[in-house]
Amino acid sequence: MWRSLASGTGAPLRLSSASAGVRVAGARRRIPGGRRWMSVRPMTVEGGMPAAPSPRKKVTIQHLHQLRSTGTPISMLTAYDFPTARALDTHGVDITLVGDSLAQVCLGLPSTTLLTLDEMLHHCRAVARGTAHPLLVADMPFGSYQAGADDAVRNAVRMVKEGHAEAVKLEGGAEVADVVRRIAQVGIPVMAHVGLMPQRHVALSGYRVQGRDAAGAREVYEAARTLEEAGAFSIVLEAIPHQLGAFITDKLSIPTIGIGAGPGTSGQVLVWDDLMTRWHGRKAKFVRRFADVGQEEGRGVQAYIDAVRDRSFPRAREEGYEMGEGEWAKFLDDVGELQEDHRVIPVQEKQRVAMSM
């Protein structure tokens, strides 16, 4: 008996009933006798031909709403340069965020509030060059939207025209609702951000969890509702109790992206350097290290230094370029340095000769 499943190509996939409950496409499977094996066979369609993977489509706001409605978690990560953007694009991230955290992790500044609009635009352009499929969102730097709606619209337009961002993100509650509304009205999608707002860390007396008491929770909830009504297409919930994150997500009709807001949000976001262990500042509770790139970088740099110092790098023939023996002899003759064996005295030998004199 066979069961048909829909494939990305529209053709049915056939699975034997003997493998009921079995994972497909490279997953670990259990077979009679208790043995386990790893499948390396691609799924096939009628006729035994491998099923061609569906080409990845551009992530749109409509697609994000579809993911939310089907309960499919949305993945979002920060990127600040071309190679990181390419990695996110290649491996299937839904939203790429050019976060103002680049102030700290890339530019060495002590706070996101010191980041300028021109610096943000520079990094946006680099990320845009490496982004084809994810929705590209960029943070509006501190000071670029607080002076009023007209100023905010003007700067948001720059983010799109000069930075090539597809949407902008800004922090704040009801006090920025008019700014969100005005930016959205000119056709620029806005992602809101409530809860812990890093651009206001001084006013908040540090990077503190928000909404821990009833009054605070209601303030965060009402801010989220207000921003949705103002036209935000999505909202980031940062550093709030997980119960509140799930509650707000259930009450809104737009996707929520959590960072320290629990598993009940529509999606999650982390800073690239946090998840890759390349940032060695204070680790927030909600950060999980998914790789240790920092340690590997350290090993690589140290190995390089050691190889340079012991002269094992570079190897002359394997990692260098050759010159014909006749041409080399001709060169030496031209510069008056012709030696009997047509070779140059090695650096180490010259050093020994100099030391013995």
Side-chain angles (χ1 to χ4, degrees):
M1 178 180 176
W2 297 84
R3 294 182 298 163
S4 295
L5 298 176
S7 73
T9 61
L13 299 175
R14 292 183 173 271
L15 296 176
S16 168
S17 60
S19 62
V22 167
R23 295 178 183 175
V24 296
R28 180 172 289 182
R29 301 197 282 178
R30 185 181 293 277
I31 60 177
R35 291 181 293 120
R36 290 182 177 180
W37 57 291
M38 296 296 289
S39 172
V40 294
R41 295 177 179 272
M43 292 190 298
T44 59
V45 296
E46 295 284 356
M49 296 297 291
S54 299
R56 189 180 179 201
K57 296 180 179 179
K58 172 66 181 174
V59 176
T60 63
I61 292 174
Q62 181 183 22
H63 179 61
L64 296 176
H65 280 271
Q66 290 173 347
L67 293 177
R68 175 194 172 277
S69 65
T70 59
T72 305
I74 298 166
S75 61
M76 177 165 138
L77 279 173
T78 65
Y80 316 109
D81 53 34
F82 175 79
T84 307
R86 288 285 296 147
L88 270 54
D89 191 297
T90 301
H91 297 292
V93 164
D94 297 311
I95 305 173
T96 294
L97 172 67
V98 188
D100 58 4
S101 47
L102 76 87
Q104 295 157 302
V105 301
C106 289
L107 303 182
L109 297 171
S111 167
T112 61
T113 58
L114 300 179
L115 184 71
T116 68
L117 180 58
D118 286 338
E119 288 169 335
M120 173 57 78
L121 292 172
H122 171 83
H123 286 267
C124 281
R125 287 191 291 270
V127 173
R129 295 182 195 112
T131 302
H133 301 97
L135 182 70
L136 181 57
V137 182
D139 272 328
M140 294 193 69
F142 180 75
S144 66
Y145 59 94
Q146 284 86 355
D150 290 341
D151 192 51
V153 170
R154 188 178 304 109
N155 290 327
V157 169
R158 288 192 67 192
M159 299 278 283
V160 173
K161 289 178 67 70
E162 299 176 38
H164 305 162
E166 296 173 312
V168 298
K169 182 172 79 66
L170 52 86
E171 299 177 7
E175 74 283 358
V176 298
D178 185 52
V179 170
V180 171
R181 184 176 295 106
R182 288 283 303 281
I183 295 175
Q185 284 174 346
V186 301
I188 300 176
V190 180
M191 177 179 282
H193 184 143
V194 299
L196 171 59
M197 293 174 278
Q199 291 182 1
R200 305 185 186 190
H201 70 281
V202 175
L204 296 173
S205 297
Y207 300 92
R208 297 175 177 272
V209 178
Q210 302 297 301
R212 270 188 157 160
D213 57 25
R218 181 166 183 172
E219 183 178 347
V220 175
Y221 167 60
E222 290 181 348
R225 290 289 299 269
T226 300
L227 292 164
E228 177 186 24
E229 292 170 1
F233 77 90
S234 179
I235 187 164
V236 169
L237 306 175
E238 180 167 1
I240 61 174
H242 64 86
Q243 303 98 318
L244 181 58
F247 179 85
I248 293 174
T249 300
D250 184 60
K251 296 300 181 182
L252 299 186
S253 60
I254 58 175
T256 60
I257 306 296
I259 177 166
T265 53
S266 307
Q268 301 293 330
V269 61
L270 279 178
V271 170
W272 173 263
D273 294 76
D274 281 338
L275 80 93
M276 290 295 180
T277 321
R278 297 185 73 241
W279 169 249
H280 298 288
R282 179 179 174 274
K283 176 183 174 296
K285 182 180 181 181
F286 55 75
V287 169
R288 183 186 297 183
R289 309 295 199 192
F290 286 88
D292 198 342
V293 174
Q295 187 174 43
E296 287 302 308
E297 285 179 336
R299 288 197 188 106
V301 171
Q302 189 59 58
Y304 166 75
I305 292 171
D306 293 343
V308 168
R309 288 177 176 169
D310 67 18
R311 298 190 181 280
S312 63
F313 174 82
R315 292 186 290 268
R317 293 184 181 277
E318 295 87 344
E319 295 162 327
Y321 303 97
E322 296 291 331
M323 188 174 179
E325 189 172 325
E327 290 299 318
W328 181 239
K330 187 176 180 181
F331 164 74
L332 292 176
D333 186 45
D334 288 345
V335 298
E337 293 286 338
L338 184 61
Q339 300 175 35
E340 292 183 2
D341 56 1
H342 296 163
R343 70 182 180 89
V344 171
I345 300 174
V347 174
Q348 296 93 326
E349 186 175 336
K350 286 185 177 180
Q351 291 173 339
R352 285 195 297 270
V353 171
M355 293 176 63
S356 63
M357 294 178 65

